[in-house]
Amino acid sequence: MSDVENSSVEKTDPIHVDQAERGAQDEVNLNSNKDARIKNPLAGIPRNVLLRQVDDFAREQDLTDITDLLKKGALVAQDPSKFEDVEGITEEELDALRNEVIHKWRQPKAMYFTVILCSIGAAVQGWDQTGSNGANLSFPQEFNISDSEYLDEANTIPNPNYLHNLWLVGLINAAPYIASALLGCWLSDPLNNYFGRRGTIFVSAVFCLFSVIGSGCSQNWYQLFVTRILLGIGMGCKASVVPIYAAENVPASIRGGLVMSWQLWTAFGIFLGFCANLAVYNVGKIAWRLQLGSAFIPAVPLVLGIYFCPESPRWYMKKGRYAKAFQSLCRLRNTPLQAARDLYYVHAQLIEEAAIIGKSTYLTRFVELFTIPRVRRATLASFTVMIAQQMCGINIIAFYSSTVFKQAGSDRLHALLASFGFGLVNFVFAFPAVWTIDTFGRRGLLLFTFPNMAWTLLATGLCFLIPEGSKAHLGLIATFIYLFAAFYSPGEGPVPFTYSAEVFPLSHREVGMSWAVATCLFWAAVLSLTWPRMVAAMTPTGAFGFYAALNVTALVMIFFWVPETKQRTLEELDYVFAVPTAKHMKYQATKAFPWFIQRYIFRNKSAQLEPLYKFDSHLASEQARAVSISEGVRNRSVSHNEKRI
């Protein structure tokens, strides 16, 4: 039987136990979780039944050589708060399990290497954005498609093709995002199916490597447009798979901080692109070629290093290759026990998923994004955070900041310097999200940053009304753009790709992420295409005010449609997205919002918010486990010091 034909459903059906054997707890409907319960799929199974299931699983998947390890792992996964009571567990294994709470960043080098290497590919996207940003000041003149109203330096000869060229320059800038949304993103599902996560990343990196070199060698705008279309195929495919790959490889407790390294490297790429723009400022007519072509640099380590990374264990499990999945997990976890625990826990939840989703083809999987209730809620939430990234207006600055600053009265050099400042702020303020995204949560960061992005954009637009000769004119515009970037980078910057990589079940993860990334990049194309004409028609003040209003709209959408996902395993999120949308909206409107008013407007510190989700006893005790472990370590330290005294 071929790998492609196998599936986790086919391999696990023989051990799918009946309802009576599953024990005392009622099953949760993963399509309509009206009680908002989140349960451990192993909870409530009698010990002897669980161990028999593990025996059957080991024989079915040819893992009999690690049966004892799998049994220990299953017992740890069944009740994480009582792992120290599991028979046969070694001191090394106990320390590793304790460190998941007290030293959660103490992870294997292979895991960090995998996440960082793949995220470097995001720098291609960021670098290209800013490369084209600087190139916009020169390539239109070389190809005789100037978007200036006048052709000569004295501003005396009108350009008869002014409006036509506005749209043409916008189209060239939008080309990668059009190609990503219409083709690149959707290729990731079939490529993942046949080549795995690593193979798909390799193919996308090859496109990103050679297409940007081609753009720097273009001899007319047609060639430039085609090379940027090819770049879009690689960008869309890469953006759809790298966050998934990272999310599937890392522990839940630090998943947000590691998966958001995609955004960190995007911000770094934006910063490097602005550096490159300044570095080639005085090289003459070929400056734009270097600005566009230099974006190939981050793709080189990705092409060369991807096959030194382990394949995603969940992809192996999806194909029924559990032995390979265990080998990958051993590289990604500190001990074989943790690898065995995660292997069996994910396997148990895949059985639950199969009960509501079953098997589907490539085409039906896309349709099921909107027809299966659990998947549909993830589709809505990912759509919201992704379109919000474009509604917030960040790519106005990333694509056109040099043009914006030039319109504000700056010369070419100072426009590039001001854009460099934006890139630096965007990069530096992305770092806090590594820690805050798993502390304050994805939803919390969004609800904090969107109101602040709205007022800073509005202030930017209003500053264009200051007379251009005033010293405050350009300085205030730059200041509010930098403040906008400072709020964006730790919030809407890292959340969309991290969030969208988490929310879909394994069966629909590739096509779901394709949908999410296509949404984001399609609207990035719309923004890139329309901004030059919008500024001409509405003035900078009107255009920035328009995007400020969109920030408020996005805030309302997020408040009602985006559930929190922090510190839950990918499998536990099945229960979060089983909660009906109407129930989630009602809770936010009738409980969360009134509590916020009482707590933060009227400063009522005694106000209490009833939680929406109800964790079963095994999952709820994880917090108690964290406290007890921390207290235990502290007590042992105190005791040790007393003995020394």
Side-chain angles (χ1 to χ4, degrees):
M1 185 178 294
S2 70
D3 294 332
V4 175
E5 292 172 341
N6 281 334
S7 71
S8 59
V9 178
E10 293 171 329
K11 299 286 272 185
T12 56
D13 277 346
I15 64 166
H16 189 53
V17 295
D18 63 24
Q19 197 77 0
E21 281 191 321
R22 277 209 166 268
Q25 295 208 23
D26 295 330
E27 294 299 307
V28 174
N29 184 343
L30 291 185
N31 273 327
S32 184
N33 184 10
K34 295 182 179 180
D35 294 330
R37 285 176 50 205
I38 299 179
K39 70 182 292 289
N40 183 330
L42 302 178
I45 303 177
R47 177 188 172 91
N48 63 319
V49 174
L50 178 62
L51 296 180
R52 188 176 76 246
Q53 291 176 11
V54 175
D55 275 326
D56 293 340
F57 168 75
R59 285 194 299 271
E60 181 69 20
Q61 306 299 339
D62 297 324
L63 295 171
T64 52
D65 55 325
I66 59 166
T67 300
D68 291 340
L69 193 62
L70 287 169
K71 288 180 177 179
K72 286 196 296 183
L75 291 171
V76 170
Q78 186 181 44
D79 193 346
S81 65
K82 297 181 180 179
F83 66 87
E84 300 202 31
D85 297 335
V86 175
E87 295 180 4
I89 199 166
T90 67
E91 190 61 35
E92 178 188 0
E93 292 167 341
L94 285 173
D95 285 341
L97 292 171
R98 294 184 189 116
N99 284 338
E100 289 183 332
V101 175
I102 59 177
H103 298 294
K104 62 182 181 180
W105 290 94
R106 191 175 291 175
Q107 301 292 338
K109 293 179 180 178
M111 190 193 72
Y112 286 116
F113 174 79
T114 298
V115 173
I116 293 172
L117 177 74
C118 293
S119 297
I120 287 175
V124 176
Q125 183 172 328
W127 198 322
D128 174 74
Q129 287 178 6
T130 48
S132 60
N133 185 316
N136 283 334
L137 299 177
S138 52
F139 87 79
Q141 285 76 18
E142 176 147 346
F143 293 154
N144 197 27
I145 55 170
S146 173
D147 58 349
S148 298
E149 190 169 357
Y150 295 91
L151 289 178
D152 66 343
E153 294 182 359
N155 289 343
T156 58
I157 304 175
N159 181 355
N161 297 316
Y162 169 59
L163 292 179
H164 172 269
N165 290 347
L166 277 178
W167 288 108
L168 190 55
V169 171
L171 180 65
I172 292 172
N173 281 304
Y177 306 97
I178 295 172
S180 294
L182 300 182
L183 186 59
C185 294
W186 303 107
L187 284 175
S188 68
D189 192 6
L191 287 174
N192 268 287
N193 186 49
Y194 291 105
F195 301 116
R197 310 285 192 245
R198 294 184 305 174
T200 304
I201 294 170
F202 176 80
V203 171
S204 65
V206 169
F207 270 90
C208 292
L209 175 63
F210 292 107
S211 61
V212 291
I213 296 174
S215 67
C217 299
S218 301
Q219 300 303 307
N220 52 59
W221 75 262
Y222 304 99
Q223 293 178 8
L224 181 59
F225 179 74
V226 170
T227 57
R228 290 179 66 75
I229 287 288
L230 294 174
L231 170 64
I233 294 174
M235 278 174 44
C237 195
K238 172 169 56 64
S240 298
V241 68
V242 169
I244 288 177
Y245 181 55
E248 291 181 341
N249 284 345
V250 302
S253 60
I254 57 173
R255 186 176 64 241
L258 288 178
V259 179
M260 72 79 50
S261 64
W262 168 269
Q263 174 61 25
L264 187 64
W265 280 95
T266 300
F268 187 51
I270 290 173
F271 172 69
L272 290 178
F274 282 126
C275 291
N277 289 345
L278 286 170
V280 301
Y281 165 70
N282 279 324
V283 301
K285 291 185 177 181
I286 65 168
W288 69 268
R289 297 185 182 278
L290 298 176
Q291 288 165 342
L292 291 177
S294 59
F296 85 91
I297 296 172
V300 174
L302 188 59
V303 169
L304 298 179
I306 185 59
Y307 280 102
F308 291 98
C309 302
E311 181 56 271
S312 163
R314 285 174 171 86
W315 183 83
Y316 276 136
M317 295 173 73
K318 184 177 181 179
K319 297 298 181 183
R321 300 165 65 178
Y322 278 79
K324 287 283 190 180
F326 180 70
Q327 292 174 13
S328 283
L329 280 168
C330 284
R331 294 181 62 186
L332 296 166
R333 299 293 182 266
N334 285 310
T335 64
L337 174 63
Q338 291 166 299
R341 176 201 61 190
D342 291 353
L343 183 78
Y344 194 77
Y345 184 86
V346 173
H347 160 75
Q349 188 58 40
L350 290 179
I351 295 175
E352 303 289 331
E353 284 185 9
I356 65 164
I357 294 173
K359 305 175 186 178
S360 54
T361 65
Y362 173 68
L363 290 177
T364 57
R365 279 201 300 277
F366 176 78
V367 175
E368 288 167 352
L369 291 179
F370 310 96
T371 57
I372 297 177
R374 181 265 179 262
V375 184
R376 184 174 63 240
R377 296 178 194 112
T379 301
L380 174 62
S382 64
F383 168 83
T384 301
V385 296
M386 283 297 198
I387 197 172
Q389 190 173 75
Q390 304 309 319
M391 293 171 72
C392 79
I394 184 63
N395 283 329
I396 296 171
I397 318 300
F399 295 163
Y400 291 108
S401 64
S402 298
T403 306
V404 168
F405 288 124
K406 196 172 181 183
Q407 289 170 333
S410 175
D411 59 31
R412 186 163 177 261
L413 175 60
H414 287 90
L416 291 174
L417 286 170
S419 294
F420 169 82
F422 161 76
L424 181 61
V425 171
N426 186 46
F427 175 53
V428 169
F429 279 85
F431 278 96
V434 174
W435 296 274
T436 59
I437 196 170
D438 286 314
T439 304
F440 298 107
R442 290 66 157 151
R443 177 183 168 85
L445 288 178
L446 295 180
L447 294 178
F448 170 74
T449 56
F450 263 92
N452 290 293
M453 288 191 290
W455 74 259
T456 50
L457 268 192
L458 180 60
T460 301
L462 293 175
C463 286
F464 275 90
L465 299 177
I466 299 173
E468 193 169 310
S470 170
K471 293 182 179 179
H473 179 75
L474 180 60
L476 285 175
I477 289 173
T479 297
F480 284 115
I481 285 178
Y482 295 165
L483 284 173
F484 170 78
F487 285 118
Y488 167 84
S489 293
E492 181 61 7
V495 168
F497 283 88
T498 301
Y499 190 87
S500 299
E502 299 171 331
V503 298
F504 293 96
L506 181 60
S507 58
H508 290 68
R509 193 162 291 153
E510 297 93 340
V511 70
M513 190 63 177
S514 298
W515 153 264
V517 175
T519 297
C520 180
L521 298 185
F522 173 78
W523 289 104
V526 171
L527 183 150
S528 180
L529 184 63
T530 59
W531 177 253
R533 186 70 185 97
M534 181 183 291
V535 174
M538 300 174 61
T539 74
T541 299
F544 276 103
F546 173 78
Y547 276 97
L550 288 185
N551 272 274
V552 177
T553 304
L555 174 67
V556 175
M557 294 166 60
I558 289 164
F559 183 76
F560 284 112
W561 294 340
V562 176
E564 183 57 79
T565 61
K566 71 171 183 176
Q567 297 188 353
R568 300 259 60 93
T569 70
L570 297 179
E571 288 67 40
E572 288 165 5
L573 292 180
D574 282 333
Y575 300 100
V576 172
F577 286 94
V579 176
T581 303
K583 181 179 179 67
H584 183 269
M585 294 176 66
K586 181 179 179 181
Y587 172 83
Q588 302 304 331
T590 62
K591 294 186 179 180
F593 186 68
W595 169 82
F596 177 85
I597 297 297
Q598 286 290 323
R599 179 66 181 83
Y600 295 104
I601 304 300
F602 295 113
R603 314 299 296 175
N604 180 5
K605 295 184 178 181
S606 63
Q608 298 292 325
L609 177 62
E610 176 189 341
L612 171 60
Y613 304 108
K614 301 173 180 63
F615 296 92
D616 72 13
S617 57
H618 298 76
L619 293 173
S621 61
E622 288 187 26
Q623 184 175 2
R625 168 201 174 203
V627 173
S628 64
I629 290 174
S630 300
E631 289 179 348
V633 171
R634 183 168 60 252
N635 291 339
R636 285 196 297 273
S637 177
V638 171
S639 176
H640 177 70
N641 290 335
E642 288 175 348
K643 288 180 180 179
R644 290 179 61 188
I645 294 172

